[in-house]
Amino acid sequence: MDDETVKYLWALREINKALITGLESAIFVMDKWDELKPERRQSMIESLQQLILQSNKAYETEPPKH
């Protein structure tokens, strides 16, 4: 494999690891959701929504319509 392919595959691996960490975190929070105060839940939701909005702007993508 050439260097560019190796770099690309390494980057994909790192992205996959980050996505898995995010999913693990989501599962952890979902398991504890009832133990969180409503204010904390709302704060987490708003923070994630803001992060998604910023990311969409950075990559010039439109958020999915639900």
Side-chain angles (χ1 to χ4, degrees):
M1 265 188 272
D2 60 58
D3 285 345
E4 288 301 312
T5 302
V6 170
K7 288 179 186 177
Y8 180 76
L9 291 174
W10 181 84
L12 286 177
R13 179 177 176 259
E14 293 302 305
I15 291 168
N16 191 49
K17 285 169 47 178
L19 289 171
I20 289 170
T21 299
L23 291 171
E24 289 171 341
S25 297
I27 290 169
F28 177 81
V29 170
M30 287 167 38
D31 280 341
K32 307 285 185 201
W33 195 248
D34 291 334
E35 298 171 24
L36 297 172
K37 293 181 180 180
E39 297 83 15
R40 180 66 180 134
R41 292 181 195 175
Q42 190 59 37
S43 173
M44 293 170 73
I45 291 168
E46 289 171 4
S47 293
L48 290 171
Q49 287 173 331
Q50 186 63 30
L51 181 61
I52 291 167
L53 181 65
Q54 291 172 350
S55 180
N56 283 333
K57 284 182 182 177
Y59 294 106
E60 298 179 7
T61 59
E62 291 293 322
K65 307 281 190 273
H66 295 285

